[in-house]
């Protein structure tokens, strides 16, 4: 049990476009999901905490208008990178909490 | 200063040898600590929790020293499949995880 999926697994887009990433808990309900970002050879950095039915809580330095989070149900949270730029290229990972955090497989974003 | 600090390495370890590494943490408010394993281009996966009394899981032993604010991981009889990055992670309020950069371990045949 405790499987978390992410879609897409990788995406390449042009600068200025928006990209939506989905995070789903497949076999449990998660009132809280987390979004992380990891640059090469760096640690995972928490971007925001996504709470079902309420607004996400963003970490300091993360622009909430650029990284839109929607947690519409107990099994789905989405992260939309709006007007993506090359510096947004990174590995985006979500996790869903059921006591322990279970991580999705991640989404590699490359913005050209 | 980052909440969790690790020496990224790499740690080149002959197959069958023992390797140990530490991480230090600056925020003593952490409720719990963990070691995660992350393979190249993959998500992190929980390896084990860390307790002050120490805990062992097969060839892996983890220890927490709250007085000195460090966590250790020891791997005995290293296997080629142990090659990965080992992330030291602290759990803070609101279920927030703080990750270190990771210790990269390369087991050499």
């Amino acid at each position: 049990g405790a499987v978390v999926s992410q879609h897409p697994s990788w995406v390449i887009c042009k600068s200025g476009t928006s990209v939506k990433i989905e995070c789903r808990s497949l076999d449990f309900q998660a009132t809280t999901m987390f979004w992380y970002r990891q640059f090469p050879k760096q640690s995972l950095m928490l971007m925001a905490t996504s709470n079902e039915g309420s607004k996400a809580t963003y970490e300091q330095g993360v622009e909430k208008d650029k990284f839109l989070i929607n947690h519409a149900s107990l099994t789905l949270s989405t992260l939309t990178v709006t007007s993506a730029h090359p510096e947004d290229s990174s590995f985006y990972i979500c996790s869903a909490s059921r006591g322990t955090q279970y991580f999705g497989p991640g989404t590699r974003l490359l913005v050209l | 200063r980052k909440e969790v600090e690790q020496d990224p390495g790499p740690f080149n370890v002959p197959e069958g040898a023992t390797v140990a590494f530490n991480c230090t943490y600056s925020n003593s408010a952490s409720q719990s600590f963990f070691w995660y394993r992350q393979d190249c281009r993959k998500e992190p996966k929980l390896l084990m929790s860390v307790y002050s009394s120490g805990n062992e899981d097969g060839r892996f032993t983890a220890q927490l020293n709250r007085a000195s604010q460090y966590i250790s991981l020891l791997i005995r009889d290293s296997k080629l499949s142990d090659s990965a990055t080992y992330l030291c992670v602290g759990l803070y309020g609101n279920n927030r995880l703080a990750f270190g950069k990771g210790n990269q371990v390369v087991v050499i045949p």
Side-chain angles (χ1 to χ4, degrees):
Chain A
V3 178
V4 178
S5 70
Q6 272 184 251
H7 178 80
S9 55
W10 59 270
V11 59
I12 302 173
C13 68
K14 291 182 179 179
S15 185
T17 59
S18 293
V19 176
K20 180 187 279 190
I21 303 170
E22 292 186 348
C23 177
R24 293 181 186 273
S25 56
L26 298 183
D27 52 359
F28 67 101
Q29 294 183 328
T31 54
T32 305
M33 291 184 175
F34 301 86
W35 287 97
Y36 297 83
R37 181 168 54 181
Q38 185 177 33
F39 292 106
K41 297 192 182 298
Q42 300 296 313
S43 57
L44 272 77
M45 295 300 296
L46 179 63
M47 299 176 66
T49 302
S50 172
N51 301 297
E52 188 267 338
S54 64
K55 291 183 179 180
T57 304
Y58 290 81
E59 294 298 301
Q60 192 173 12
V62 178
E63 300 175 56
K64 63 180 179 13
D65 294 329
K66 181 170 180 63
F67 298 99
L68 301 178
I69 291 172
N70 186 309
H71 196 150
S73 76
L74 288 172
T75 59
L76 174 64
S77 175
T78 60
L79 168 69
T80 301
V81 184
T82 61
S83 186
H85 288 96
E87 59 266 29
D88 297 322
S89 299
S90 188
F91 188 43
Y92 291 85
I93 309 175
C94 73
S95 72
S97 179
R98 190 179 70 173
T100 301
Q101 285 189 34
Y102 296 92
F103 287 85
T107 297
R108 294 209 172 269
L109 171 63
L110 176 61
V111 185
L112 302 175
Chain B
R1 184 181 174 189
K2 290 190 180 298
E3 288 178 293
V4 180
E5 300 265 14
Q6 289 182 263
D7 174 5
F11 295 78
N12 296 316
V13 185
E15 190 176 6
T18 296
V19 61
F21 35 83
N22 297 336
C23 85
T24 57
Y25 60 93
S26 58
N27 187 345
S28 59
S30 173
Q31 301 166 12
S32 305
F33 291 94
F34 308 90
W35 283 103
Y36 277 74
R37 170 188 171 134
Q38 186 175 25
D39 292 286
C40 188
R41 306 176 81 84
K42 299 285 188 182
E43 77 277 20
K45 294 187 177 177
L46 179 64
L47 180 66
M48 59 198 304
S49 302
V50 189
Y51 307 114
S52 298
S53 56
N55 55 313
E56 188 174 311
D57 183 2
R59 297 180 293 108
F60 298 82
T61 301
Q63 185 81 48
L64 165 63
N65 186 318
R66 285 198 181 271
S68 301
Q69 295 189 194
Y70 77 83
I71 300 109
S72 65
L73 179 67
L74 182 145
I75 308 174
R76 285 182 299 278
D77 187 23
S78 299
K79 311 290 184 191
L80 295 177
S81 56
D82 294 333
S83 296
T85 297
Y86 292 85
L87 306 173
C88 180
V89 184
L91 175 64
Y92 293 91
N94 295 320
N95 208 14
R96 183 177 67 84
L97 294 178
F99 285 81
K101 273 190 182 182
N103 299 113
Q104 184 186 4
V105 172
V106 179
V107 181
I108 303 165

